[in-house]
Amino acid sequence: MKTLPSDHRTRVTKMLIRRAFTDLLRSKPIQSITIRELCERAGINRGTFYLHYRDVYDMLDSVEDELFCQFSEILNRDFTAIQEDSLYSVLEDVFSFLYENMQAGQVLMGAHGDLAFINRMKGLVKERILQVWNRSSQPSQAFDYYYSFLVSGCIRVIEAWLNKDAPEPPKQIAALAGDMIKRGLVTPIF
């Protein structure tokens, strides 16, 4: 399908607004961001902003929903039969997604980020991991402990990786995370 010029302009405008928004979120909480300063930074007028969003909270919701849907697609695989290399494949897709959305990830996981969004992402991950866990021979009473260990460790790895001046390629960090996960989950305690 051919892209109409207005579709291209809309995408460019939204990209400019999003870039300005993430820049502002690096330095201040969302409640301190005004439409005026956002528009000035994006190089648009207020009317253009209001064509796309009601306010900065609507914009944040839109950005988060878009990221959540993309992340969910990565995890919407058939996890009924985990093979040896599928963990690495999923992790590579996750880290590639994070790399492509690095600025948004840095901001949303940063000092002025949205904890509710992070918890929403964790909930999705927990749901997918639980699917695999319930099909394994490992006892289910230990799930909460393994999940907490796994997610906390992965989030810290992601934060450290996203905040590096020159982060490793997604494939390399995915392999490292996969190795850490496998070593941590090799022998169940319970």
Side-chain angles (χ1 to χ4, degrees):
M1 179 158 74
K2 195 172 186 177
T3 305
L4 300 174
S6 63
D7 291 340
H8 175 71
R9 282 192 297 266
T10 299
R11 281 195 310 275
V12 169
T13 300
K14 285 186 169 185
M15 181 201 57
L16 291 171
I17 297 169
R18 183 176 173 173
R19 186 177 299 148
F21 185 64
T22 55
D23 287 347
L24 289 168
L25 271 176
R26 284 184 198 282
S27 61
K28 60 171 77 178
I30 190 168
Q31 61 269 22
S32 298
I33 297 174
T34 65
I35 301 298
R36 180 188 308 158
E37 71 181 326
L38 180 58
C39 291
E40 286 174 3
R41 185 165 293 208
I44 61 167
N45 63 48
R46 291 168 60 99
T48 302
F49 176 86
Y50 287 118
L51 284 174
H52 303 288
Y53 308 103
R54 288 186 308 273
D55 55 27
V56 291
Y57 297 99
D58 182 46
M59 182 178 179
L60 179 63
D61 289 343
S62 177
V63 169
E64 288 178 349
D65 287 346
E66 180 184 326
L67 292 172
F68 185 82
C69 287
Q70 291 173 6
F71 188 66
S72 182
E73 285 178 22
I74 293 169
L75 298 183
N76 276 342
R77 296 184 177 173
D78 180 12
F79 286 101
T80 56
I82 293 293
Q83 299 170 357
E84 182 67 24
D85 63 343
S86 64
L87 171 65
Y88 295 101
S89 175
V90 170
L91 287 171
E92 187 174 342
D93 289 348
V94 166
F95 280 99
S96 292
F97 164 76
L98 292 168
Y99 192 79
E100 291 165 11
N101 295 283
M102 187 171 289
Q103 288 182 337
Q106 289 169 334
V107 168
L108 293 172
M109 293 180 80
H112 304 294
D114 184 1
L115 187 56
F117 175 70
I118 301 300
N119 287 334
R120 185 176 169 200
M121 298 288 264
K122 284 181 181 180
L124 179 63
V125 170
K126 185 175 186 175
E127 178 184 312
R128 298 304 191 263
I129 292 173
L130 189 56
Q131 289 173 354
V132 174
W133 187 275
N134 285 335
R135 288 173 176 79
S136 72
S137 60
Q138 298 172 348
S140 61
Q141 72 262 18
F143 174 77
D144 286 336
Y145 298 113
Y146 280 105
Y147 170 76
S148 295
F149 176 79
L150 176 72
V151 171
S152 295
C154 283
I155 286 176
R156 295 298 173 235
V157 167
I158 290 167
E159 287 175 339
W161 179 66
L162 286 177
N163 290 312
K164 286 185 81 172
D165 290 334
E168 293 83 1
K171 186 172 186 147
Q172 184 178 340
I173 198 71
L176 178 65
D179 288 346
M180 287 188 275
I181 289 169
K182 283 185 147 188
R183 284 189 205 134
L185 298 179
V186 170
T187 308
I189 296 170
F190 298 100

